[in-house]
Amino acid sequence: MKILVTGIAGFIGFHLGKRLLQSGIDLVGFDNLNSYYDISLKESRLNELENIEEKSQAKFYFEKGSLENLADLENVFSKYEPSVVVNLAAQAGVRYSLTNPSAYIQSNIVGFQNIIELSRRFEVKNFLYASSSSVYGGNVNIPFNEEDVVGHPVSLYAATKRSNELVAHTYSHLYDLPTTGLRFFTVYGPWGRPDMALFLFTKSILEKKHINVFNNGQMMRDFTYIDDVIECVLRLLKKPAQGDDNFDKTKPDPSKSWAPYRIFNIGNSSPTYLMDYIAAIEECLSLKAKINFLPMQMGDVKKTFANTFELEKWINYKPKTFIRDGVSEFVSWYLKFYKITRSD
């Protein structure tokens, strides 16, 4: 069995690839290595995967290309014939969508259509894809439940992710393609993205620079540790979506279907105040942050909180890492990776 993981040089893709190789599963990685953030970090992740391959019984094949280039993808499907696809490649970031919206349309809509269509044509047995907690948009009822109506996105990024979910349902219905949408809630941990809060805050605090904290710090996030996320994905790989024989079309649940289609929240179901998150970073670094309190940014939301009851029922697992433990793991990685020696 070969598993195709797009966005393999990204944060979540790298960690998933690592676990697959360590489990002896052949891995086909696909990534365009774009310059949205430091390419050298992405290259280091790929190097790490190659090192893991040398010690495992599995094979790692890497192909460079973009989702929006159909020829790139067709070559990969024809060459490797993957039986399972995990689509993690996307243009990420809520704030960047305010300044470069076309990147989101091309990667997250055109690109998604390309890969799900090829998955149909090559009769993939299980198709998983990254969605986002951002799809909950203007919803104010918390915790966020998968059966909530999510028709009011507040960022283009969120709108593209909701679009993916709708397209996936269509393919599940028309072609019996099992699809599972993964609504990730603020994933963090070692090898994380440089545009995310934990990375930005750690870097700035170490450099004695100010950090920007929006909405004057009155924010809550359901921070979810990367190892918990990967455990969820691995279990979902083993349990493709199935149609619900009891689906009630008069009261349709948006997270399920008569078709083999599911959507799950992938969150810690334990939201943390942003200021408490910063306090955990300060504790791990033994340094105090210098803070610029700023107003709420366009496209952002004040709170995220995942209800993971459906996920727990489906895979018998619940994310559980405490913030202090997860932040500590990241800080240890950061200091080692960037060769920072602490004298204070």
Side-chain angles (χ1 to χ4, degrees), residues 27 32 46 48 67 74 124 148 159 167-168 172 190-191 196 210 213 222-223 227 229 237 247 250 256 258 263-264 278:
L27 170 66
N32 65 2
L46 291 178
E48 183 72 10
L67 289 182
E74 284 181 320
V124 163
D148 292 344
V167 169
S172 294
W191 295 92
M196 297 292 283
H210 283 76
V213 176
D222 200 341
F223 296 103
D227 288 358
V229 168
L237 284 172
F247 187 81
T250 66
K256 303 175 184 177
W258 61 88
I263 289 175
F264 293 107
I278 294 170

Side-chain angles (χ1 to χ4, degrees), residues 144-165:
F144 295 149
N145 296 298
E146 293 96 336
E147 63 265 27
D148 292 344
V149 175
V150 286
H152 298 86
V154 296
S155 70
L156 181 60
Y157 171 69
T160 63
K161 288 300 184 180
R162 180 57 182 148
S163 168
N164 291 170
E165 295 176 351

Side-chain angles (χ1 to χ4, degrees), residues 33-39 42 91-96 104 193 195:
L33 299 176
N34 68 32
S35 58
Y36 172 64
Y37 63 79
D38 185 11
I39 295 176
K42 299 179 181 183
Q91 180 55 62
V94 170
R95 290 163 189 161
Y96 187 60
Y104 292 78
R193 279 175 24 207
D195 64 321

Side-chain angles (χ1 to χ4, degrees), residues 34-87:
N34 68 32
S35 58
Y36 172 64
Y37 63 79
D38 185 11
I39 295 176
S40 66
L41 177 57
K42 299 179 181 183
E43 291 172 339
S44 293
R45 292 174 182 147
L46 291 178
N47 290 336
E48 183 72 10
L49 290 176
E50 290 171 355
N51 292 336
I52 293 169
E53 179 199 23
E54 293 177 359
K55 302 172 185 176
S56 75
Q57 301 299 314
K59 294 294 184 182
F60 173 46
Y61 310 93
F62 175 69
E63 297 285 343
K64 185 177 180 181
S66 298
L67 289 182
E68 54 267 39
N69 188 324
L70 184 60
D72 287 348
L73 275 176
E74 284 181 320
N75 174 63
V76 170
F77 275 83
S78 297
K79 186 175 179 179
Y80 300 104
E81 297 184 340
S83 55
V84 174
V85 171
V86 185
N87 183 48

Side-chain angles (χ1 to χ4, degrees), residues 26-276:
D26 290 343
L27 170 66
V28 181
F30 183 83
D31 204 294
N32 65 2
L33 299 176
N34 68 32
S35 58
Y36 172 64
Y37 63 79
D38 185 11
I39 295 176
S40 66
L41 177 57
K42 299 179 181 183
E43 291 172 339
S44 293
R45 292 174 182 147
L46 291 178
N47 290 336
E48 183 72 10
L49 290 176
E50 290 171 355
N51 292 336
I52 293 169
E53 179 199 23
E54 293 177 359
K55 302 172 185 176
S56 75
Q57 301 299 314
K59 294 294 184 182
F60 173 46
Y61 310 93
F62 175 69
E63 297 285 343
K64 185 177 180 181
S66 298
L67 289 182
E68 54 267 39
N69 188 324
L70 184 60
D72 287 348
L73 275 176
E74 284 181 320
N75 174 63
V76 170
F77 275 83
S78 297
K79 186 175 179 179
Y80 300 104
E81 297 184 340
S83 55
V84 174
V85 171
V86 185
N87 183 48
L88 301 175
Q91 180 55 62
V94 170
R95 290 163 189 161
Y96 187 60
S97 68
L98 299 174
T99 58
N100 195 0
S102 63
Y104 292 78
I105 300 301
Q106 290 302 310
S107 180
N108 300 6
I109 294 183
V110 175
F112 185 83
Q113 167 60 32
N114 286 341
I115 194 164
I116 198 170
E117 169 62 16
L118 286 169
S119 295
R120 175 195 71 83
R121 282 168 42 188
F122 282 81
E123 299 182 344
V124 163
K125 304 303 181 186
N126 193 5
F127 181 85
L128 291 83
Y129 62 96
S131 186
S132 169
S133 62
S134 296
V135 301
Y136 290 104
N139 290 22
V140 295
N141 292 328
I142 56 173
F144 295 149
N145 296 298
E146 293 96 336
E147 63 265 27
D148 292 344
V149 175
V150 286
H152 298 86
V154 296
S155 70
L156 181 60
Y157 171 69
T160 63
K161 288 300 184 180
R162 180 57 182 148
S163 168
N164 291 170
E165 295 176 351
L166 296 173
V167 169
H169 182 268
T170 304
Y171 270 75
S172 294
H173 166 65
L174 292 175
Y175 308 114
D176 206 34
L177 173 66
T179 68
T180 301
L182 312 168
R183 288 181 178 169
F184 294 127
F185 279 71
T186 316
V187 185
Y188 74 102
W191 295 92
R193 279 175 24 207
D195 64 321
M196 297 292 283
L198 180 54
F199 203 112
L200 289 169
F201 292 170
T202 299
K203 183 176 187 295
S204 293
I205 292 170
L206 283 168
E207 295 174 356
K208 308 295 196 298
K209 296 179 180 178
H210 283 76
I211 63 174
N212 291 329
V213 176
F214 295 98
N215 200 39
N216 298 307
Q218 300 303 304
M219 309 272 275
M220 291 181 71
R221 289 289 181 269
D222 200 341
F223 296 103
T224 312
Y225 189 60
I226 185 63
D227 288 358
D228 287 329
V229 168
I230 299 306
E231 183 62 32
C232 291
V233 176
L234 290 172
R235 293 185 182 219
L236 288 166
L237 284 172
K238 298 175 183 177
K239 193 171 182 181
Q242 300 172 4
D244 182 357
D245 293 335
N246 298 314
F247 187 81
D248 186 352
K249 292 185 179 181
T250 66
K251 299 177 182 178
D253 179 344
S255 69
K256 303 175 184 177
S257 177
W258 61 88
Y261 168 88
R262 289 300 300 262
I263 289 175
F264 293 107
N265 288 336
I266 312 294
N268 208 51
S269 63
S270 180
T272 301
Y273 283 103
L274 182 57
M275 297 308 298
D276 291 339

